[in-house]
Amino acid sequence: DTGVSQDPRHKITKRGQNVTFRCDPISEHNRLYWYRQTLGQGPEFLTYFQNEAQLEKSRLLSDRFSAERPKGSFSTLEIQRTEQGDSAMYLCASSSPTSGTRGSQFFGPGTRLTVL
Amino acid sequence: SQKIEQNSEALNIQEGKTATLTCNYTNYSPAYLQWYRQDPGRGPVFLLLIRENEKEKRKERLKVTFDTTLKQSLFHITASQPADSATYLCALGVYNTDKLIFGTGTRLQVFP
């Protein structure tokens, strides 16, 4: 499978714990995005990378959230001191500016986080 | 304020009919607009992209229109099938950023 992969698919944690999610984009894609989606809503942008550079961060991304893409390939999203309001589906997507459908993003299956 | 609105109520149609979904936006100047399909528990899947200077795009049974004066996009599925049942999301792409701004989605149910 050459699509976007995310790990884990599900994570249950207690409030106050730290969690880390991983995203592996499509191999030739240099742009990688993180979104958060809650029930009944569309995905909300969190941050994105071009290669290893983090180009934009949403105001939704509080100081407890940090994302990295150290070698321009996979990315991690860490949430420190989780709160119940962090419960959501965390989606990763990737894109290539040189693709025929420039602007389209290819999403992974998501990581569902539940904070108890 | 900036808003992207899609019908929050589910759209129920009979197999074989044409489904038409609406996406309206305010206070955005999009460079392009995209439509995605999302099944429960899965990530969105890209369907079609239409740019600000394009009026219509087609792909198989799918058609998208984009009216920047009305600030509206319509998404049509012709000869709908039960397998088309899903949530459909519209997303705006604006200048100077690669992020997408999504609507809340419309759930489509096609019954036999």
Side-chain angles (χ1 to χ4, degrees), chain A residues 2 5 19 26 28 33-34 38 53-54 58 64-65 81 83 113:
Chain A
T2 56
S5 62
V19 294
I26 294 171
E28 63 269 25
Y33 310 80
W34 286 100
T38 54
Q54 189 172 20
S58 165
R64 298 185 297 106
F65 288 70
R81 304 181 304 280
E83 301 172 356
L113 173 66

Side-chain angles (χ1 to χ4, degrees), chain A residues 32-104:
Chain A
L32 185 149
Y33 310 80
W34 286 100
Y35 292 84
R36 180 172 66 188
Q37 186 176 26
T38 54
L39 199 62
Q41 301 297 312
E44 291 179 294
F45 170 77
L46 294 178
T47 188
Y48 88 93
F49 294 83
Q50 178 167 302
N51 300 313
E52 62 274 13
Q54 189 172 20
L55 295 188
E56 188 173 346
K57 286 168 43 172
S58 165
R59 282 170 289 180
L60 292 175
L61 214 65
S62 76
D63 291 345
R64 298 185 297 106
F65 288 70
S66 63
E68 293 183 343
R69 194 182 184 199
K71 296 182 180 179
S73 56
F74 73 91
S75 175
T76 58
L77 177 68
E78 181 183 17
I79 309 174
Q80 296 182 326
R81 304 181 304 280
T82 52
E83 301 172 356
Q84 288 182 327
D86 297 331
S87 296
M89 176 79 88
Y90 289 83
L91 293 163
C92 176
S94 68
S95 73
S96 168
T98 59
S99 73
T101 50
R102 178 179 176 173
S104 58

